Amino acid sequence: MTAIAIACVIIGCAVGYVMARRYMVRLLVALILALIAAFLFVLNAPHDALPGDGYAAVVVSLLMAPPMVSGLIGGAIVAWLANRHAKVS
């Protein structure tokens, strides 16, 4: 489970960096909000409301969404810092 979370952070950093570098900030914010909404939906959903046995939805939203969101935000911050550094020098 730790490897999945680390992979999500790395993928999130790469995607956040590329999206922020190409000025797709609206899409980046929409992706972050969708991941947060999925996390909250699964967290607050009754057991019968999840599709199938609910295990896949729980794994995707509770194990992958928080590291992915933190990676997206971290990648966007790194892109902003790199852009700011390029303007100064």
Side-chain angles (χ1 to χ4, degrees), residues 43-79:
L43 197 62
N44 295 323
H47 182 67
D48 299 344
L50 298 175
D53 61 353
Y55 183 71
V58 169
V59 167
V60 167
S61 63
L62 299 181
L63 178 65
M64 295 176 70
M68 186 72 75
V69 168
S70 64
L72 288 169
I73 293 170
I77 290 172
V78 169

